[in-house]
Amino acid sequence: MRVSEEELRRRTIRRTDFVSCDQAFIDCRTPGSDRKENYSMIGPGVTQSAGQVVNLREAHGFNIGAAAMPGGITNNLHLHFTAEVFLCFRGEFLLRWGADGRDGELVLREGDIASLPTWIFRGFTNIGPDDGWLFTALGHDDTGGIIWGPSVLREAEEHGLFLTADNTLVDTVAGDERPPEDELVKPMTEEQIAGLRKYTPEQMRSKVATPEDLAWSSEPFLDSRLPGGGAQLALVIGYGMTEDPEQEPRIFKPHGHNIAWLRAEPGQGVRAHRHSRTQVLMVKDGEWEVTLNLHDEVSVRLGPWDLLSVPAGAWRSLRNTGDGTASLVVINGGDGRVRLEWDDEVVKAAADEGVAIDHDGYLAPHALVPRPIG
């Protein structure tokens, strides 16, 4: 498929394009939680506000949003039905979980990625001195919304906020009519809460990938030895795009998407390839150029915190155009491996370096890989 300049612009979400909503959830007036801001970049996520701006609504198989919070502000206890992944891009957050938030605590710092299990209550507080920023990746297009802790619902009612069974936020202070009792979300019972899963701090720690936990592959792709290639890859959730037969992710459980870090030195990157999955590139550091199409190429420059949604099936290449090491997060839709198709020039150049892709989709000696006859 060919991607037009207009389509590329539509799929590019700059940091300056992010639009916050401070009325996204039922705890938006609760003291200590009233200064948090919610963002929905790709898909609506779990927002409960009809006024939430969504930068790109096209279904990806996952949702991407963010929570921005000043120091000391808390996101109250709630649970999700699909995977919720936190990507800490700035600040320091105290994560707690359990029905009363006392099952355990962990601190997330810049560069950490944490996968929170479904069907457990979780909340977090910005304990850093500056405004903190958590990107979130949520599994699947329809997340099912969230369930708030009973105390959160009760306190919200004191501030004129109610939540209906269809996940609509009703604000009686703003003039909305209070819905009938049978239309409101019912708080979970003590018996229902007692049946929820429990996780120890040790179990939860295994679901966090800090920078120190990452296992980087220096040859994750067919183009790793080629000029213009050379990017390194660290798997966080799922096997994703790696072609390194020895590389394994820190987190295996299916999420509806896979997540990996990619980094490159100046001039390096990933040469022309394509695959059949949806993909979002989320820049953490540095400057990147992403080029789409093999012919009639269109390109975009991305800086820190910019996002790009790459259409499934489109040819794409990435290059670090800055002066230092650049890093980004790669998110692909689906639970399985992502099999890459490389441009013929890459395949030929790799063969000259003695490398090919075997029938299992991994790097192998070119001389030993059977090739089609004719």
Side-chain angles (χ1 to χ4, degrees):
M1 65 173 297
R2 179 187 177 280
V3 180
S4 67
E5 185 75 44
E6 181 181 7
E7 179 68 0
L8 177 60
R9 288 197 302 269
R10 188 180 74 87
R11 290 176 169 272
T12 301
I13 306 172
R14 304 283 183 191
R15 183 176 179 179
T16 53
D17 296 330
F18 300 170
V19 181
S20 69
C21 177
D22 59 4
Q23 305 289 315
F25 297 112
I26 198 167
D27 64 341
C28 62
R29 292 203 187 104
T30 301
S33 300
D34 52 346
R35 295 172 58 206
K36 63 179 180 177
E37 297 181 329
N38 188 71
Y39 297 81
S40 294
M41 292 80 169
I42 295 179
V46 293
T47 184
Q48 294 165 335
S49 173
Q52 177 81 60
V53 172
V54 180
N55 294 99
L56 187 60
R57 288 188 173 272
E58 181 174 324
H60 282 61
F62 54 89
N63 290 251
I64 295 179
M69 300 164 58
I73 296 300
T74 291
N75 191 17
N76 287 292
L77 292 166
H78 62 283
L79 64 77
H80 285 250
F81 308 112
T82 67
E84 180 181 39
V85 179
F86 294 142
L87 303 96
C88 187
F89 270 37
R90 185 173 66 198
E92 193 168 298
F93 293 85
L94 178 65
L95 171 67
R96 65 194 186 285
W97 62 93
D100 56 5
R102 297 178 183 175
D103 284 3
E105 294 182 345
L106 282 175
V107 175
L108 300 181
R109 298 179 174 86
E110 184 171 338
D112 292 352
I113 296 179
S115 171
L116 278 295
T118 58
W119 287 100
I120 66 165
F121 281 105
R122 80 290 306 273
F124 49 92
T125 300
N126 178 8
I127 59 174
D130 302 315
D131 286 358
W133 189 280
L134 284 176
F135 280 101
T136 58
L138 305 177
H140 305 292
D141 295 314
D142 181 2
T143 66
I146 56 179
I147 296 178
W148 290 99
S151 62
V152 178
L153 293 173
R154 287 193 295 268
E155 188 164 6
E157 289 189 8
E158 297 175 6
H159 299 283
L161 294 170
F162 300 84
L163 189 63
T164 64
D166 63 355
N167 203 41
T168 299
L169 187 61
V170 176
D171 185 351
T172 58
V173 174
D176 294 342
E177 183 176 347
R178 187 189 190 281
E181 197 66 30
D182 61 358
E183 294 183 10
L184 295 177
V185 166
K186 301 294 188 294
M188 290 181 66
T189 66
E190 291 185 7
E191 182 180 10
Q192 290 170 331
I193 291 174
L196 296 177
R197 304 164 184 162
K198 291 185 179 295
Y199 289 82
T200 66
E202 292 74 22
Q203 289 173 316
M204 194 66 77
R205 177 63 182 84
S206 70
K207 301 177 185 301
V208 178
T210 70
E212 291 73 28
D213 295 326
L214 299 178
W216 291 92
S217 172
S218 60
E219 292 197 9
F221 301 125
L222 182 64
D223 71 340
S224 293
R225 301 180 186 178
L226 305 181
Q232 297 183 328
L233 189 74
L235 303 179
V236 178
I237 298 171
Y239 282 90
M241 305 191 306
T242 187
E243 296 175 329
D244 181 344
E246 303 301 322
Q247 194 170 24
E248 293 187 340
R250 177 168 177 81
I251 300 169
F252 290 86
K253 186 173 181 177
H255 282 55
H257 57 273
N258 56 75
I259 297 179
W261 285 102
L262 187 140
R263 69 185 181 190
E265 297 303 312
Q268 294 185 334
V270 186
R271 291 180 54 166
H273 65 284
R274 64 180 176 180
H275 60 74
S276 61
R277 302 290 188 178
T278 56
Q279 182 180 77
V280 172
L281 306 175
M282 182 188 304
V283 176
K284 174 64 170 62
D285 299 300
E287 303 291 333
W288 292 85
E289 180 181 56
V290 182
T291 300
L292 304 186
N293 306 329
L294 282 182
H295 308 287
D296 299 323
E297 296 177 344
V298 292
S299 298
V300 63
R301 296 288 184 100
L302 303 174
W305 297 23
D306 290 345
L307 280 69
L308 175 64
S309 166
V310 182
W315 290 99
R316 82 282 317 258
S317 61
L318 296 75
R319 183 170 63 94
N320 175 2
T321 57
D323 298 326
T325 304
S327 64
L328 56 77
V329 173
V330 182
I331 305 177
N332 298 301
D335 288 320
R337 283 174 54 198
V338 179
R339 299 288 290 267
L340 305 183
E341 177 185 353
W342 293 93
D343 177 23
D344 287 343
E345 290 187 5
V346 175
V347 175
K348 293 174 182 176
D352 291 341
E353 294 291 329
V355 182
I357 299 295
D358 67 15
H359 293 68
D360 202 24
Y362 288 113
L363 300 175
H366 178 265
L368 301 178
V369 176
R371 288 177 290 282
I373 299 175

